[in-house]
PDB file of all heavy atoms in Angstrom:
ATOM      1  N   ASP Y 939     -20.494  47.710  70.855  1.00 98.00           N
ATOM      2  CA  ASP Y 939     -19.145  47.580  71.620  1.00 98.00           C
ATOM      3  C   ASP Y 939     -18.857  46.142  71.875  1.00 98.00           C
ATOM      4  O   ASP Y 939     -17.649  45.835  71.958  1.00 98.00           O
ATOM      5  CB  ASP Y 939     -19.353  48.280  72.995  1.00 98.00           C
ATOM      6  CG  ASP Y 939     -19.499  49.789  72.762  1.00 98.00           C
ATOM      7  OD1 ASP Y 939     -19.235  50.340  71.807  1.00 98.00           O
ATOM      8  OD2 ASP Y 939     -20.026  50.379  73.842  1.00 98.00           O
ATOM      9  N   LYS Y 940     -19.843  45.176  71.822  1.00 97.00           N
ATOM     10  CA  LYS Y 940     -19.536  43.861  72.024  1.00 97.00           C
ATOM     11  C   LYS Y 940     -19.225  43.110  70.747  1.00 97.00           C
ATOM     12  O   LYS Y 940     -19.033  41.851  70.742  1.00 97.00           O
ATOM     13  CB  LYS Y 940     -20.762  43.165  72.699  1.00 97.00           C
ATOM     14  CG  LYS Y 940     -20.836  43.625  74.142  1.00 97.00           C
ATOM     15  CD  LYS Y 940     -21.838  42.647  74.900  1.00 97.00           C
ATOM     16  CE  LYS Y 940     -21.861  43.011  76.399  1.00 97.00           C
ATOM     17  NZ  LYS Y 940     -20.654  42.513  77.137  1.00 97.00           N
ATOM     18  N   GLY Y 941     -19.187  43.791  69.576  1.00 98.00           N
ATOM     19  CA  GLY Y 941     -18.752  43.168  68.335  1.00 98.00           C
ATOM     20  C   GLY Y 941     -19.866  42.704  67.451  1.00 98.00           C
ATOM     21  O   GLY Y 941     -19.499  42.113  66.409  1.00 98.00           O
ATOM     22  N   PHE Y 942     -21.092  42.935  67.724  1.00 98.00           N
ATOM     23  CA  PHE Y 942     -22.162  42.631  66.803  1.00 98.00           C
ATOM     24  C   PHE Y 942     -22.035  43.585  65.617  1.00 98.00           C
ATOM     25  O   PHE Y 942     -21.626  44.730  65.700  1.00 98.00           O
ATOM     26  CB  PHE Y 942     -23.557  42.625  67.407  1.00 98.00           C
ATOM     27  CG  PHE Y 942     -23.647  41.596  68.522  1.00 98.00           C
ATOM     28  CD1 PHE Y 942     -23.444  41.839  69.924  1.00 98.00           C
ATOM     29  CD2 PHE Y 942     -24.200  40.303  68.107  1.00 98.00           C
ATOM     30  CE1 PHE Y 942     -23.595  40.848  70.676  1.00 98.00           C
ATOM     31  CE2 PHE Y 942     -24.205  39.299  69.025  1.00 98.00           C
ATOM     32  CZ  PHE Y 942     -24.020  39.585  70.394  1.00 98.00           C
ATOM     33  N   ARG Y 943     -22.521  43.160  64.437  1.00 98.00           N
ATOM     34  CA  ARG Y 943     -22.398  43.942  63.279  1.00 98.00           C
ATOM     35  C   ARG Y 943     -23.724  44.124  62.658  1.00 98.00           C
ATOM     36  O   ARG Y 943     -23.930  45.116  61.821  1.00 98.00           O
ATOM     37  CB  ARG Y 943     -21.513  43.232  62.176  1.00 98.00           C
ATOM     38  CG  ARG Y 943     -20.148  42.805  62.643  1.00 98.00           C
ATOM     39  CD  ARG Y 943     -19.142  44.024  62.759  1.00 98.00           C
ATOM     40  NE  ARG Y 943     -19.049  44.453  61.438  1.00 98.00           N
ATOM     41  CZ  ARG Y 943     -18.932  45.754  61.087  1.00 98.00           C
ATOM     42  NH1 ARG Y 943     -18.721  46.699  61.988  1.00 98.00           N
ATOM     43  NH2 ARG Y 943     -18.830  46.153  59.786  1.00 98.00           N
ATOM     44  N   THR Y 944     -24.729  43.374  62.952  1.00 98.00           N
ATOM     45  CA  THR Y 944     -26.104  43.425  62.382  1.00 98.00           C
ATOM     46  C   THR Y 944     -27.061  43.315  63.475  1.00 98.00           C
ATOM     47  O   THR Y 944     -26.964  42.359  64.310  1.00 98.00           O
ATOM     48  CB  THR Y 944     -26.333  42.483  61.269  1.00 98.00           C
ATOM     49  OG1 THR Y 944     -25.394  42.805  60.130  1.00 98.00           O
ATOM     50  CG2 THR Y 944     -27.726  42.462  60.726  1.00 98.00           C
ATOM     51  N   VAL Y 945     -28.195  44.083  63.480  1.00 98.00           N
ATOM     52  CA  VAL Y 945     -29.277  43.944  64.413  1.00 98.00           C
ATOM     53  C   VAL Y 945     -30.535  43.660  63.559  1.00 98.00           C
ATOM     54  O   VAL Y 945     -30.792  44.298  62.562  1.00 98.00           O
ATOM     55  CB  VAL Y 945     -29.513  45.198  65.233  1.00 98.00           C
ATOM     56  CG1 VAL Y 945     -30.847  44.992  66.150  1.00 98.00           C
ATOM     57  CG2 VAL Y 945     -28.329  45.483  66.122  1.00 98.00           C
ATOM     58  N   ILE Y 946     -31.179  42.603  63.923  1.00 98.00           N
ATOM     59  CA  ILE Y 946     -32.500  42.278  63.304  1.00 98.00           C
ATOM     60  C   ILE Y 946     -33.630  42.442  64.282  1.00 98.00           C
ATOM     61  O   ILE Y 946     -33.600  41.826  65.322  1.00 98.00           O
ATOM     62  CB  ILE Y 946     -32.506  40.874  62.665  1.00 98.00           C
ATOM     63  CG1 ILE Y 946     -31.442  40.726  61.656  1.00 98.00           C
ATOM     64  CG2 ILE Y 946     -33.938  40.539  62.140  1.00 98.00           C
ATOM     65  CD1 ILE Y 946     -31.376  39.243  61.075  1.00 98.00           C
ATOM     66  N   CYS Y 947     -34.556  43.336  63.878  1.00 98.00           N
ATOM     67  CA  CYS Y 947     -35.794  43.459  64.750  1.00 98.00           C
ATOM     68  C   CYS Y 947     -36.920  42.648  64.205  1.00 98.00           C
ATOM     69  O   CYS Y 947     -37.383  42.865  63.030  1.00 98.00           O
ATOM     70  CB  CYS Y 947     -36.225  44.917  64.718  1.00 98.00           C
ATOM     71  SG  CYS Y 947     -37.794  45.274  65.482  1.00 98.00           S
ATOM     72  N   ASN Y 948     -37.331  41.658  64.893  1.00 98.00           N
ATOM     73  CA  ASN Y 948     -38.351  40.840  64.584  1.00 98.00           C
ATOM     74  C   ASN Y 948     -39.739  41.141  65.258  1.00 98.00           C
ATOM     75  O   ASN Y 948     -40.738  40.386  65.140  1.00 98.00           O
ATOM     76  CB  ASN Y 948     -38.106  39.342  64.811  1.00 98.00           C
ATOM     77  CG  ASN Y 948     -37.030  38.786  63.940  1.00 98.00           C
ATOM     78  OD1 ASN Y 948     -36.073  38.105  64.537  1.00 98.00           O
ATOM     79  ND2 ASN Y 948     -37.129  38.896  62.629  1.00 98.00           N
ATOM     80  N   ARG Y 949     -39.715  42.212  66.061  1.00 97.00           N
ATOM     81  CA  ARG Y 949     -40.896  42.638  66.814  1.00 97.00           C
ATOM     82  C   ARG Y 949     -41.707  43.674  65.916  1.00 97.00           C
ATOM     83  O   ARG Y 949     -41.181  44.763  65.661  1.00 97.00           O
ATOM     84  CB  ARG Y 949     -40.429  43.235  68.093  1.00 97.00           C
ATOM     85  CG  ARG Y 949     -41.707  43.393  69.030  1.00 97.00           C
ATOM     86  CD  ARG Y 949     -41.288  43.279  70.504  1.00 97.00           C
ATOM     87  NE  ARG Y 949     -42.412  43.109  71.260  1.00 97.00           N
ATOM     88  CZ  ARG Y 949     -42.447  43.511  72.457  1.00 97.00           C
ATOM     89  NH1 ARG Y 949     -41.517  44.058  73.204  1.00 97.00           N
ATOM     90  NH2 ARG Y 949     -43.684  43.279  73.191  1.00 97.00           N
ATOM     91  N   PRO Y 950     -42.914  43.380  65.670  1.00 98.00           N
ATOM     92  CA  PRO Y 950     -43.767  44.302  64.938  1.00 98.00           C
ATOM     93  C   PRO Y 950     -44.009  45.559  65.697  1.00 98.00           C
ATOM     94  O   PRO Y 950     -44.047  45.527  66.880  1.00 98.00           O
ATOM     95  CB  PRO Y 950     -45.156  43.570  64.861  1.00 98.00           C
ATOM     96  CG  PRO Y 950     -44.880  42.142  64.945  1.00 98.00           C
ATOM     97  CD  PRO Y 950     -43.677  42.065  65.871  1.00 98.00           C
ATOM     98  N   ASP Y 951     -43.887  46.683  65.030  1.00 97.00           N
ATOM     99  CA  ASP Y 951     -44.102  48.042  65.617  1.00 97.00           C
ATOM    100  C   ASP Y 951     -45.351  48.074  66.437  1.00 97.00           C
ATOM    101  O   ASP Y 951     -45.440  48.850  67.469  1.00 97.00           O
ATOM    102  CB  ASP Y 951     -43.948  49.116  64.573  1.00 97.00           C
ATOM    103  CG  ASP Y 951     -42.567  49.400  64.131  1.00 97.00           C
ATOM    104  OD1 ASP Y 951     -41.677  49.087  64.793  1.00 97.00           O
ATOM    105  OD2 ASP Y 951     -42.461  50.040  63.056  1.00 97.00           O
ATOM    106  N   GLU Y 952     -46.405  47.492  66.010  1.00 96.00           N
ATOM    107  CA  GLU Y 952     -47.711  47.559  66.691  1.00 96.00           C
ATOM    108  C   GLU Y 952     -47.666  46.942  68.038  1.00 96.00           C
ATOM    109  O   GLU Y 952     -48.562  47.154  68.868  1.00 96.00           O
ATOM    110  CB  GLU Y 952     -48.804  46.714  65.806  1.00 96.00           C
ATOM    111  CG  GLU Y 952     -49.118  47.297  64.498  1.00 96.00           C
ATOM    112  CD  GLU Y 952     -48.088  46.694  63.432  1.00 96.00           C
ATOM    113  OE1 GLU Y 952     -47.116  46.065  63.755  1.00 96.00           O
ATOM    114  OE2 GLU Y 952     -48.452  47.038  62.276  1.00 96.00           O
ATOM    115  N   GLU Y 953     -46.646  46.195  68.424  1.00 94.00           N
ATOM    116  CA  GLU Y 953     -46.483  45.599  69.751  1.00 94.00           C
ATOM    117  C   GLU Y 953     -45.832  46.463  70.807  1.00 94.00           C
ATOM    118  O   GLU Y 953     -45.888  46.117  71.947  1.00 94.00           O
ATOM    119  CB  GLU Y 953     -45.645  44.295  69.629  1.00 94.00           C
ATOM    120  CG  GLU Y 953     -46.312  43.125  69.022  1.00 94.00           C
ATOM    121  CD  GLU Y 953     -45.526  41.856  69.026  1.00 94.00           C
ATOM    122  OE1 GLU Y 953     -44.511  41.816  69.743  1.00 94.00           O
ATOM    123  OE2 GLU Y 953     -46.037  40.916  68.452  1.00 94.00           O
ATOM    124  N   ILE Y 954     -45.194  47.522  70.309  1.00 93.00           N
ATOM    125  CA  ILE Y 954     -44.402  48.419  71.310  1.00 93.00           C
ATOM    126  C   ILE Y 954     -44.677  49.883  71.188  1.00 93.00           C
ATOM    127  O   ILE Y 954     -45.230  50.295  70.154  1.00 93.00           O
ATOM    128  CB  ILE Y 954     -42.904  48.082  71.042  1.00 93.00           C
ATOM    129  CG1 ILE Y 954     -42.502  48.214  69.626  1.00 93.00           C
ATOM    130  CG2 ILE Y 954     -42.560  46.617  71.531  1.00 93.00           C
ATOM    131  CD1 ILE Y 954     -41.057  48.035  69.311  1.00 93.00           C
ATOM    132  N   GLU Y 955     -44.256  50.513  72.238  1.00 91.00           N
ATOM    133  CA  GLU Y 955     -44.369  51.898  72.179  1.00 91.00           C
ATOM    134  C   GLU Y 955     -43.427  52.640  71.188  1.00 91.00           C
ATOM    135  O   GLU Y 955     -42.437  52.045  70.662  1.00 91.00           O
ATOM    136  CB  GLU Y 955     -43.922  52.463  73.599  1.00 91.00           C
ATOM    137  CG  GLU Y 955     -42.491  52.244  73.825  1.00 91.00           C
ATOM    138  CD  GLU Y 955     -42.074  52.558  75.243  1.00 91.00           C
ATOM    139  OE1 GLU Y 955     -42.325  51.785  76.248  1.00 91.00           O
ATOM    140  OE2 GLU Y 955     -41.269  53.513  75.471  1.00 91.00           O
ATOM    141  N   GLY Y 956     -43.838  53.800  70.792  1.00 89.00           N
ATOM    142  CA  GLY Y 956     -43.212  54.578  69.677  1.00 89.00           C
ATOM    143  C   GLY Y 956     -41.719  54.667  69.862  1.00 89.00           C
ATOM    144  O   GLY Y 956     -41.044  54.654  68.806  1.00 89.00           O
ATOM    145  N   ALA Y 957     -41.296  54.947  71.016  1.00 93.00           N
ATOM    146  CA  ALA Y 957     -39.836  55.219  71.186  1.00 93.00           C
ATOM    147  C   ALA Y 957     -38.988  54.000  70.901  1.00 93.00           C
ATOM    148  O   ALA Y 957     -37.762  54.210  70.696  1.00 93.00           O
ATOM    149  CB  ALA Y 957     -39.620  55.641  72.709  1.00 93.00           C
ATOM    150  N   LEU Y 958     -39.561  52.788  70.878  1.00 96.00           N
ATOM    151  CA  LEU Y 958     -38.750  51.533  70.518  1.00 96.00           C
ATOM    152  C   LEU Y 958     -39.070  51.005  69.277  1.00 96.00           C
ATOM    153  O   LEU Y 958     -38.667  49.835  68.924  1.00 96.00           O
ATOM    154  CB  LEU Y 958     -38.957  50.602  71.798  1.00 96.00           C
ATOM    155  CG  LEU Y 958     -38.549  50.976  73.100  1.00 96.00           C
ATOM    156  CD1 LEU Y 958     -38.780  49.832  74.139  1.00 96.00           C
ATOM    157  CD2 LEU Y 958     -36.923  51.264  73.129  1.00 96.00           C
TER     158      LEU Y 958
END
Side-chain angles (χ1 to χ4, degrees):
D939 294 344
K940 290 194 174 284
F942 290 96
R943 305 284 299 146
T944 296
V945 174
I946 298 176
C947 172
N948 293 129
R949 192 153 193 204
D951 284 341
E952 297 86 353
E953 289 184 4
I954 52 176
E955 63 187 74
L958 296 178

